[in-house]
Amino acid sequence: MNAAELRKYFPILDQEVNGHPLVYLDSAATSQKPVQVIEAVNEYYQKHNSNVHRGVHTLGNRATDLYEGARDKVRSFINAASMKEIVFLRGTTTALNLVAQSYGGANVQEGDEIVITYMEHHSNIIPWQQLAKQKGAVLKYIPLQPDGTISIEDVRETVTSKTKIVSVMMVSNVLGTINPIEDITKIAHENGAVMVVDGAQAAPHLAIDVQKLDCDFFAFSGHKMCGPTGIGVLYGKQALLEKMEPVEFGGEMIDFVGLYESTWKELPWKFEGGTPIIAGAVGLGAAIDFLNEIGLDAIEQHEHKLAAYALEKLSAIEGFSIYGPPNGSDRAGVITFNLDDVHPHDVATVLDAEGIAVRAGHHCAQPLMKWLDVSATARASFYVYNTEEDIDRLAASLLKTKEYFSDVF
Amino acid sequence: MSFNNLDQLYRQVIMDHYKNPRNKGAIEDGSVTVDMNNPTCGDRIHLTMKVEDGIVTDAKFDGEGCSISMASASMMTQAIKGKDMDHAMKLSHVFSEMMLGNDYPDDVDLDDIEALQGVAKFPARIKCATLSWKAMEKGLQDEQ
């Protein structure tokens, strides 16, 4: 793939910020959208907009076909066995909350265990904290190795026969670590637990095969993979989803409604109460087409190369510290760092003055920040449209930042 | 090295407060204690104040954060020490108007705080500057 060539599809990148050409290095927060996605959403509203699954009229049928067509694209994107296993929701957070409240609500009892890791995003911590509190269950954390990876021995030690749910992120939004989901899933299953995967940082960057991973649930968000905000996906194995109760009740998700009792639609619609996120799903479908056109393996390789280039280039800056697995290991395109004693907010402000967008703060991972023993860090994250020149610009501006702060001190 | 627009933000006096914070620490027998954080970025402040007969006789802060938040906390404690609570609240009001980029009354002596004026031009950093002031307001409101 040719990132410089792909940039022409992202009109937003072609602008100056604070007098400099924009370098967008915050794709782990949200990715930019190609014209193909913007146009698909636009066209849906201009030509086909209608409610789904009810109209006899032509637009209603078109909207339904587009919505369900997007579901099939998602199914094939993660290689799920059936469209019944693909639930459209608002995003990863909503999907993980659904699993916690519906599956967890029915299957976790007092004294049972829920296992997560120290590197999780808040969206894969708090739903389980809440569930544990409601049920009197025990929330356990798999510790991290000094290089920010998980050891399989620690997984074996933490997951026990009392464990009902194991929930782990596939790719860390802070460390860039790629977790061995297949191996963790095996251990979860050996102990009779279900395996939940937070795929928010994985689905945009790696080819996902849920059948090969054998996980029971897989959650991800459209907006981090070139799609619109407000659309996300919960994959669940059909046998599990069949037995689960919806968590939202109302229109669209019902079969028969009586005065005192009602029944639910079949999968996946029983989990999609209310008018669904139709335009969002159409946009996500277009994003999947766009990513498939490039090829997920090519995207992974591109980011791997960028991360290696960035690690080499940035490590050469004196006083630069990087968190996460060292160069050469299997690592996603996320570089979290600190520069001397300069606070990351100050780093991000100076970079912004140079037209470079990075994230600063705790990255929605406060327990991980505590483990790293830092209050905040700065983060540069890459996607299909980033180039080595972007990293050169980052490195040059970081050197200027260093100089600036040594001058003012 | 100079970035012209950044020099409005990182004024010398701010950097001086960041590097040499005044009133850093905690008052052991402080009558007012406030812990506040900025959940979007992780900045946090632990503010202790001693209030006697309506006068803030001492104020100290501890915490973690960027240059703007820590310098602002240092200046805030300096500004309220020895002042009565009404005056401290008035300062806080003036400061918040300043952060919003609004005109503010010129009958209060702002001293070093004036250096933070440039923050108003950096919307993402206003919350950094106001954290300690919000903590002070909360503490004094509870005391009133």
Side-chain angles (χ1 to χ4, degrees):
Chain A
M1 63 163 278
N2 183 340
E5 192 58 27
L6 283 174
R7 288 174 76 91
K8 69 173 185 234
Y9 297 121
F10 294 85
I12 200 169
L13 297 176
D14 184 23
Q15 66 172 300
E16 288 205 341
V17 168
N18 297 321
H20 301 272
L22 168 65
V23 172
Y24 186 76
L25 298 176
D26 197 19
S27 295
T30 195
S31 74
Q32 296 304 346
K33 326 299 176 197
V35 281
Q36 289 88 333
V37 169
I38 299 166
E39 275 168 13
V41 174
N42 203 13
E43 189 184 281
Y44 167 75
Y45 280 126
Q46 293 213 7
K47 296 184 180 160
H48 316 299
N49 178 52
S50 187
N51 217 324
V52 295
H53 298 143
R54 60 188 68 163
V56 175
H57 60 72
T58 304
L59 292 191
N61 289 336
R62 265 195 238 152
T64 305
D65 287 349
L66 282 166
Y67 182 64
E68 294 303 326
R71 195 189 306 277
D72 197 37
K73 285 178 188 179
V74 171
R75 184 206 60 73
S76 136
F77 184 69
I78 59 171
N79 194 33
S82 159
M83 274 165 69
K84 292 184 175 182
E85 300 181 319
I86 307 296
V87 181
F88 280 131
L89 297 165
R90 195 164 61 88
T92 308
T93 300
T94 315
L96 293 170
N97 274 281
L98 191 158
V99 178
Q101 286 310 308
S102 175
Y103 182 85
N107 294 286
V108 173
Q109 314 294 334
E110 194 177 339
D112 285 347
E113 297 168 352
I114 303 157
V115 171
I116 62 177
T117 79
Y118 269 101
M119 71 172 84
E120 299 310 316
H121 186 281
H122 294 162
S123 64
N124 198 27
I125 298 175
I126 304 157
W128 309 117
Q129 275 179 0
Q130 291 298 106
L131 176 64
K133 272 194 211 160
Q134 286 162 15
K135 297 286 179 177
V138 183
L139 183 60
K140 288 167 81 179
Y141 286 82
I142 299 168
L144 304 186
Q145 298 297 300
D147 66 353
T149 59
I150 291 171
S151 95
I152 285 299
E153 288 69 42
D154 284 335
V155 179
R156 279 213 181 86
E157 230 155 77
T158 316
V159 179
T160 72
S161 59
K162 280 188 182 165
T163 307
K164 291 290 182 297
I165 296 171
V166 179
S167 191
V168 176
M169 62 184 359
M170 187 160 180
V171 173
S172 163
N173 65 315
V174 176
L175 303 167
T177 314
I178 301 174
N179 285 320
I181 295 298
E182 260 187 89
D183 298 337
I184 303 172
T185 301
K186 274 192 198 116
I187 295 168
H189 288 169
E190 281 162 19
N191 286 278
V194 293
M195 180 72 194
V196 185
V197 180
D198 168 358
Q201 298 292 344
H205 309 289
L206 318 169
I208 302 295
D209 183 338
V210 287
Q211 297 189 68
K212 185 161 175 280
L213 293 174
D214 197 28
C215 57
D216 299 286
F217 299 98
F218 188 97
F220 61 103
S221 300
H223 72 95
K224 293 190 200 284
M225 48 183 282
C226 293
T229 52
I231 182 77
V233 174
L234 173 67
Y235 156 83
K237 281 183 181 163
Q238 190 175 339
L240 292 170
L241 291 178
E242 296 278 12
K243 285 192 214 136
M244 282 161 56
E245 279 289 296
V247 291
E248 280 192 344
F249 304 91
E252 198 74 30
M253 52 76 68
I254 42 78
D255 187 9
F256 290 106
V257 176
L259 286 180
Y260 303 104
E261 288 290 333
S262 300
T263 57
W264 320 140
K265 261 189 190 165
E266 57 184 300
L267 284 178
W269 302 296
K270 73 172 178 183
F271 293 111
E272 295 178 359
T275 291
I277 313 149
I278 310 167
V282 170
L284 177 58
I288 287 174
D289 289 342
F290 178 78
L291 296 178
N292 282 338
E293 186 78 26
I294 306 167
L296 267 293
D297 290 336
I299 294 172
E300 186 183 351
Q301 270 171 34
H302 170 69
E303 288 171 16
H304 200 85
K305 249 174 65 186
L306 279 185
Y309 182 76
L311 283 170
E312 195 191 317
K313 188 109 192 170
L314 301 174
S315 309
I317 301 172
E318 210 193 306
F320 190 87
S321 41
I322 295 169
Y323 305 96
N327 209 352
S329 35
D330 201 12
R331 208 179 194 289
V334 176
I335 310 279
T336 291
F337 62 91
N338 266 321
L339 184 64
D340 279 335
D341 290 339
V342 188
H343 194 279
H345 295 169
D346 294 319
V347 172
T349 295
V350 180
L351 292 178
D352 183 55
E354 294 269 288
I356 302 172
V358 298
R359 171 90 192 262
H362 55 53
H363 316 294
C364 299
Q366 289 183 35
L368 176 59
M369 292 294 118
K370 213 171 164 194
W371 181 84
L372 291 170
D373 197 22
V374 291
S375 61
T377 58
R379 178 186 72 189
S381 52
F382 316 128
Y383 207 19
V384 290
Y385 34 71
N386 290 118
T387 61
E388 289 187 355
E389 287 82 81
D390 290 345
I391 292 160
D392 293 343
R393 284 265 312 271
L394 173 66
S397 292
L398 282 171
L399 277 173
K400 278 169 104 174
T401 308
K402 226 175 108 81
E403 244 178 89
Y404 181 74
F405 277 92
S406 60
D407 278 4
V408 290
F409 280 155
Chain B
M1 174 59 50
S2 166
F3 298 81
N4 283 335
N5 48 347
L6 284 184
D7 292 342
Q8 296 177 16
L9 180 64
Y10 297 115
R11 306 273 293 274
Q12 202 68 42
V13 56
I14 296 178
M15 285 314 178
D16 178 52
H17 273 271
Y18 179 45
K19 229 187 143 189
N20 312 296
R22 329 295 199 255
N23 307 312
K24 191 89 193 275
I27 307 166
E28 293 294 312
D29 57 343
S31 51
V32 186
T33 303
V34 186
D35 284 288
M36 213 174 246
N37 64 2
N38 181 346
T40 54
C41 63
D43 285 1
R44 58 168 197 88
I45 184 169
H46 175 74
L47 177 67
T48 44
M49 295 180 285
K50 204 169 190 173
V51 181
E52 287 163 313
D53 300 328
I55 311 276
V56 183
T57 54
D58 201 4
K60 283 192 155 103
F61 79 100
D62 231 327
E64 279 169 352
C66 60
S67 55
I68 304 300
S69 73
M70 292 296 108
S72 183
S74 168
M75 292 175 183
M76 183 277 291
T77 52
Q78 200 179 35
I80 63 165
K81 256 168 88 166
K83 304 284 174 11
D84 64 44
M85 294 207 291
D86 286 346
H87 185 85
M89 293 300 244
K90 185 169 184 190
L91 268 176
S92 188
H93 170 73
V94 168
F95 185 73
S96 111
E97 289 298 305
M98 184 203 271
M99 288 300 104
L100 293 167
N102 296 340
D103 290 337
Y104 50 87
D106 53 8
D107 59 339
V108 273
D109 184 16
L110 288 173
D111 217 0
D112 289 354
I113 298 167
E114 214 133 14
L116 285 165
Q117 232 174 4
V119 177
K121 295 193 184 70
F122 293 79
R125 305 302 296 276
I126 294 172
K127 274 188 181 162
C128 310
T130 52
L131 179 67
S132 57
W133 293 84
K134 283 190 182 142
M136 180 265 279
E137 268 194 28
K138 185 172 183 290
L140 294 188
Q141 261 160 16
D142 292 349
E143 187 69 13
Q144 266 171 353

